Amino acid sequence: MIGAHLIAMAGLPGSGKSSIADGLCRALGATLLSVDPIEAAMWRSGLDRDATGRAAYKVAEALAAENLRQGQPVIIDAVNPVEEARLMWLKTAQSLTLPISYIEAICSDEAVHEARIEARVRGITGMPEVTWARVQQRKAEYQTWSHPRLVLDTSKTPVNDLVADALAYVRRAGAL
């Protein structure tokens, strides 16, 4: 168990970030907040799909802050492709005087990445599965990082080993 600490996962769809986030959640007893189910719930409630992307991040931010105020560690599972999103998590942690750790999942083997996307079935009600073409579009929109982060390549390393690396990184950040 750890105290309040914000861990912001990042990476393209199918990069393995959710698998790492799930492992971290179990290891740390953390609250896991995933942006995709939040956005899908907005769509199911009738909100326009063009207006929900940023809103889903803001809902996750509010839930993260509430859990952090209660002393819970929080893991954000989101693409976090742009600096604006990454800064939002930093500001949330700073406003509560809490540590933040960024962890980015990548899949350096494009064939493996594409195969994951083609085989993936997440089953989020109301949210269609992402296509490889959409992943390529998101990749083109992905902005360069300006914050220190741990980069984990999921193409060849087992998830349990990556979770162990992530735990070690969070420990070095002073959270454990």
Side-chain angles (χ1 to χ4, degrees), residues 80-115:
N80 286 312
V82 297
E83 184 69 9
E84 180 183 6
R86 299 168 194 156
L87 280 173
M88 180 180 71
W89 304 124
L90 178 62
K91 289 176 183 175
T92 299
Q94 287 176 336
S95 73
L96 298 167
T97 320
L98 294 172
I100 183 168
S101 296
Y102 293 105
I103 301 172
E104 182 184 19
I106 63 166
C107 183
S108 63
D109 185 325
E110 195 163 287
V112 168
H113 195 176
E114 183 175 7

Side-chain angles (χ1 to χ4, degrees), residues 1 30 52 54 58 79 87 92 102 115 117 138 146 167 172:
M1 281 298 276
T52 56
R54 181 181 171 93
K58 296 304 280 182
V79 175
L87 280 173
T92 299
Y102 293 105
I117 291 297
R138 297 296 300 265
S146 63
L167 284 168
R172 285 191 302 275

Side-chain angles (χ1 to χ4, degrees), residues 7 12 21 39 50-51 55 57 76 85 102 111 119 121 128 144 148 174:
I7 302 165
L12 292 171
E39 187 169 23
D50 293 333
Y57 273 78
I76 302 296
Y102 293 105
V121 178
T144 303

Side-chain angles (χ1 to χ4, degrees), residues 21-105:
D22 288 346
L24 279 174
C25 184
R26 284 190 301 279
L28 297 174
T31 298
L32 177 63
L33 298 172
S34 180
V35 169
D36 285 351
I38 293 169
E39 187 169 23
M42 292 174 165
W43 295 345
R44 291 191 308 271
S45 74
L47 293 177
D48 186 320
R49 288 180 184 237
D50 293 333
T52 56
R54 181 181 171 93
Y57 273 78
K58 296 304 280 182
V59 169
E61 177 190 29
L63 293 170
E66 185 59 30
N67 280 275
L68 290 165
R69 276 194 282 282
Q70 299 301 317
Q72 290 292 116
V74 173
I75 300 169
I76 302 296
D77 181 7
V79 175
N80 286 312
V82 297
E83 184 69 9
E84 180 183 6
R86 299 168 194 156
L87 280 173
M88 180 180 71
W89 304 124
L90 178 62
K91 289 176 183 175
T92 299
Q94 287 176 336
S95 73
L96 298 167
T97 320
L98 294 172
I100 183 168
S101 296
Y102 293 105
I103 301 172
E104 182 184 19

